[in-house]
Coordinates of all heavy atoms in Angstrom, one line a residue:
L1399 N 403.9 102.2 27.1 CA 404.1 102.2 28.6 C 405.5 102.6 28.9 O 405.8 103.2 29.9 CB 403.6 100.9 29.2 CG 402.1 100.7 29.3 CD1 401.8 99.3 29.6 CD2 401.4 101.7 30.3
A1400 N 406.4 102.2 28.1 CA 407.9 102.5 28.3 C 408.2 104.0 28.1 O 409.2 104.4 28.6 CB 408.7 101.6 27.4
K1401 N 407.3 104.7 27.5 CA 407.5 106.1 27.2 C 407.1 107.1 28.4 O 407.4 108.2 28.3 CB 406.7 106.6 26.0 CG 407.2 105.9 24.7 CD 408.5 106.5 24.3 CE 408.9 106.0 22.9 NZ 410.2 106.5 22.5
G1402 N 406.3 106.6 29.4 CA 405.8 107.5 30.4 C 405.4 106.8 31.7 O 405.7 105.6 31.9
T1403 N 404.7 107.6 32.5 CA 404.3 107.1 33.8 C 402.8 106.9 33.8 O 402.1 107.5 33.0 CB 404.7 108.0 34.9 OG1 404.1 109.3 34.7 CG2 406.2 108.2 35.0
G1404 N 402.3 106.2 34.8 CA 400.9 105.8 34.9 C 399.8 106.9 34.7 O 398.8 106.6 34.2
E1405 N 400.1 108.1 35.2 CA 399.0 109.1 35.2 C 399.1 110.0 33.9 O 398.2 110.8 33.7 CB 399.0 110.0 36.4 CG 398.6 109.2 37.7 CD 397.3 108.4 37.5 OE1 396.3 109.0 37.1 OE2 397.3 107.1 37.7
E1406 N 400.1 109.7 33.1 CA 400.1 110.5 31.8 C 399.0 110.0 30.9 O 398.6 108.9 30.9 CB 401.5 110.3 31.1 CG 402.6 111.1 31.8 CD 403.9 111.0 31.0 OE1 404.6 110.0 31.3 OE2 404.1 111.9 30.2
T1407 N 398.6 110.9 30.0 CA 397.5 110.6 29.1 C 397.9 110.5 27.7 O 398.7 111.4 27.2 CB 396.4 111.8 29.2 OG1 395.9 111.8 30.6 CG2 395.2 111.5 28.3
F1408 N 397.5 109.5 27.0 CA 397.8 109.4 25.5 C 396.5 109.8 24.8 O 395.4 109.7 25.3 CB 398.2 108.0 25.2 CG 397.1 107.0 25.2 CD1 396.3 106.7 24.1 CD2 396.7 106.3 26.4 CE1 395.3 105.8 24.1 CE2 395.7 105.4 26.4 CZ 394.9 105.2 25.3
T1409 N 396.7 110.3 23.6 CA 395.6 110.7 22.7 C 396.0 110.3 21.3 O 397.0 110.7 20.7 CB 395.4 112.2 22.7 OG1 395.2 112.6 24.1 CG2 394.1 112.6 22.0
L1410 N 395.1 109.4 20.7 CA 395.3 109.0 19.3 C 394.1 109.6 18.5 O 392.9 109.2 18.8 CB 395.3 107.5 19.2 CG 395.4 106.8 17.9 CD1 396.6 107.4 17.1 CD2 395.5 105.3 18.0
T1411 N 394.4 110.5 17.6 CA 393.3 111.2 16.9 C 393.4 110.8 15.4 O 394.4 110.8 14.8 CB 393.5 112.7 17.0 OG1 393.5 113.0 18.4 CG2 392.4 113.4 16.3
H1412 N 392.2 110.4 14.9 CA 392.1 110.1 13.4 C 391.1 111.2 12.9 O 390.0 111.4 13.4 CB 391.4 108.8 13.2 CG 392.3 107.6 13.3 ND1 391.9 106.3 13.0 CD2 393.5 107.5 13.8 CE1 392.9 105.5 13.3 NE2 393.9 106.2 13.8
D1413 N 391.6 112.0 11.9 CA 390.8 113.0 11.3 C 390.9 112.8 9.8 O 391.9 113.2 9.1 CB 391.4 114.4 11.7 CG 390.5 115.5 11.2 OD1 389.5 115.2 10.5 OD2 390.7 116.7 11.4
G1414 N 390.0 112.0 9.3 CA 390.1 111.5 7.9 C 391.3 110.6 7.9 O 391.4 109.6 8.7
D1415 N 392.3 110.8 7.0 CA 393.4 109.9 6.9 C 394.6 110.5 7.7 O 395.7 110.0 7.7 CB 393.8 109.6 5.4 CG 394.2 110.9 4.7 OD1 394.1 112.0 5.2 OD2 394.6 110.7 3.5
K1416 N 394.4 111.6 8.4 CA 395.4 112.2 9.2 C 395.4 111.6 10.6 O 394.3 111.6 11.2 CB 395.2 113.8 9.3 CG 396.3 114.5 10.1 CD 396.0 116.0 10.2 CE 397.1 116.6 11.0 NZ 396.6 117.9 11.6
V1417 N 396.6 111.2 11.1 CA 396.7 110.5 12.4 C 397.7 111.3 13.2 O 398.8 111.6 12.8 CB 397.1 109.1 12.2 CG1 397.4 108.4 13.6 CG2 396.1 108.3 11.4
V1418 N 397.3 111.6 14.5 CA 398.1 112.3 15.4 C 398.1 111.4 16.7 O 397.1 111.0 17.2 CB 397.7 113.7 15.7 CG1 398.6 114.3 16.8 CG2 397.6 114.5 14.5

Side-chain angles (χ1 to χ4, degrees):
L1399 288 165
K1401 293 284 185 185
T1403 60
E1405 292 310 304
E1406 285 186 274
T1407 301
F1408 72 92
T1409 307
L1410 177 54
T1411 304
H1412 285 187
D1413 187 357
D1415 62 356
K1416 182 182 175 201
V1417 175
V1418 178

